[in-house]
Amino acid sequence: MRHLLSTADLAKDDAILLLDTSAQMAATQSREMKKLPTLRGRTVVNLFYEDSTRTRISFETAAKRLSADVINFSAKGSSVSKGESLKDTALTLHAMGADAVVVRHPASGAPHMLAHAGWLDAAVLNAGDGMHQHPTQALLDAFTIRRHLVGGGSDAGTEGTDLAGLRVAIVGDVLHSRVARSNVHLLHTLGAHVTLVAPPTLLPVGIETWPCEVSYHLDETIERTKPDAVMMLRVQRERMSGGAGGAFFPSAQEYSRKFGLGSQRLARLPGHSIIMHPGPMNRGLEISADAADHPRSVIVEQVANGIAVRMASLYLLLAGSDDAHDERTSL
Ligand code: CP
């Protein structure tokens, strides 16, 4: 692997290598000394053209835990506000010797452009591009699912395993969600059965070509598929005209009633199922406080697992996959 741009490009072996390496990274994070010397002398640039809390902080933490030098670049307050292009920004990062560029951008395809236009000689990691992809989010979600539903809450015995036979319901604003796109591809590659649940207005054109089932009814889906994991999606009101749901659903109350996860639906889930959300949450809209803070909610753990997954991603891209095995054994 040279770049990490999309889960649709990830072969099953690469996905499992990333999950196994994440487990090794997670094990190092319970030590008193969390820092590893692995990327000493390497430079990681976090290039964020869109707001972020979890992804930006966890990539920064991951790079620092691997002893890389980290440069944080936010479009706000940079020469981007004076009209500087992505190309000129990339050439500047190249001149500064970036070894890896972690990029979040509102335009779908911007990370692909950075990786392939020849402006940079660096590994490019997609930290979310438009409504397209967010591969490290899907990897941390798969890692969390594997830990809970294959490993019983730990990584013991999970090495090399996929998610075959598991059922995952992904619920809500699929239309605007790069998290949903990334998860559908990765979970399918890993053998899980995915059901997307949304109102027809919040499903994209061409959904029938995605490797998953589609439903318009959450209660029916819970009853029929008995999901092992339920992933609630954020309603992305900032991408909807008017900002309050616009023409996508009649009212917040009706959306919550049909597609929200509250205590009544929670009670109908199988006893072992886990509750997920990529964050940030709209509490009271797609998920109630009861569900978000429930003992079966793994939402905070997803954030913690993001550090291990991003350490693994940086490590495999920068340390190189050929010598990855030898180096991994010395973590
Ligand atoms: N899940 C996620 O991408 O969160 P942030 O927007 O806070 O990075």
Side-chain angles (χ1 to χ4, degrees):
M1 276 190 301
R2 171 80 175 118
H3 308 288
L4 181 55
L5 301 176
S6 165
T7 55
D9 304 336
L10 271 184
K12 185 172 178 178
D13 284 353
D14 286 335
I16 289 179
L17 175 64
L18 276 156
L19 297 183
D20 288 349
T21 309
S22 301
Q24 291 181 300
M25 291 296 177
T28 69
Q29 297 308 292
S30 54
R31 297 178 190 162
E32 197 179 338
M33 284 295 292
K34 294 183 170 55
K35 203 156 176 166
L36 305 172
T38 321
L39 297 185
R40 190 179 288 153
R42 305 295 188 98
T43 300
V44 175
V45 177
N46 288 320
L47 180 61
F48 277 67
Y49 287 81
E50 260 190 355
D51 295 342
S52 169
T53 299
R54 282 146 285 270
T55 311
R56 189 177 57 77
I57 292 173
S58 65
F59 261 117
E60 180 175 353
T61 306
K64 287 179 173 170
R65 298 266 168 93
L66 293 169
S67 302
D69 296 322
V70 180
I71 299 171
N72 289 314
F73 174 105
S74 169
K76 281 182 201 144
S78 76
S79 289
V80 171
S81 59
K82 300 175 196 162
E84 187 159 47
S85 66
L86 183 62
K87 176 179 178 178
D88 288 330
T89 302
L91 292 173
T92 303
L93 300 181
H94 178 66
M96 290 177 179
D99 295 296
V101 176
V102 176
V103 59
R104 170 168 290 193
H105 202 285
S108 298
H112 188 273
M113 180 75 99
L114 272 183
H116 297 296
W119 304 329
L120 278 169
D121 181 22
V124 176
L125 295 95
N126 183 357
D129 61 329
M131 299 190 289
H132 178 223
Q133 277 278 328
H134 193 352
T136 56
Q137 177 69 44
L139 284 160
L140 75 87
D141 292 336
F143 181 74
T144 305
I145 291 171
R146 190 171 79 160
R147 242 186 183 190
H148 274 271
L149 298 170
V150 179
S154 78
D155 298 317
T158 62
E159 190 174 352
T161 59
D162 61 19
L163 304 179
L166 293 179
R167 296 170 303 272
V168 181
I170 301 178
V171 185
D173 183 0
V174 176
L175 177 64
H176 300 107
S177 179
R178 54 199 178 205
V179 174
R181 281 169 181 74
S182 303
N183 264 295
V184 165
H185 285 290
L186 183 63
L187 292 171
H188 173 74
T189 297
L190 291 170
H193 181 272
V194 179
T195 306
L196 291 175
V197 189
T201 49
L202 287 175
L203 289 167
V205 172
I207 191 82
E208 63 282 355
T209 64
W210 294 21
C212 62
E213 186 190 336
V214 177
S215 165
Y216 307 129
H217 304 288
L218 181 51
D219 289 324
E220 183 275 333
T221 301
I222 290 173
E223 183 61 32
R224 179 174 50 81
T225 69
K226 302 194 171 23
D228 302 292
V230 179
M231 189 183 298
M232 304 308 295
L233 298 173
R234 182 171 72 86
V235 175
Q236 299 194 30
R237 286 183 283 198
E238 75 279 13
R239 299 191 203 267
M240 300 175 185
S241 57
F248 293 95
F249 47 84
S251 69
Q253 289 77 8
E254 181 159 340
Y255 182 87
S256 280
R257 192 169 56 76
K258 288 190 171 167
F259 296 99
L261 185 62
S263 44
Q264 289 185 353
R265 284 204 172 101
L266 203 52
R268 292 202 288 275
L269 290 173
H272 69 277
S273 59
I274 58 172
I275 300 158
M276 309 180 77
H277 193 300
M281 290 183 271
N282 296 305
R283 284 175 181 251
L285 182 55
E286 71 265 5
I287 190 165
S288 70
D290 284 355
D293 302 329
H294 194 272
R296 273 159 36 214
S297 163
V298 296
I299 295 168
V300 176
E301 196 185 320
Q302 285 172 265
V303 178
N305 290 341
I307 297 173
V309 164
R310 286 161 181 140
M311 287 174 76
S313 303
L314 288 167
Y315 168 72
L316 288 172
L317 291 177
L318 290 181
S321 51
D322 289 340
D323 56 2
H325 176 73
D326 292 339
E327 295 202 27
R328 272 207 319 286
T329 54
S330 65
L331 286 177

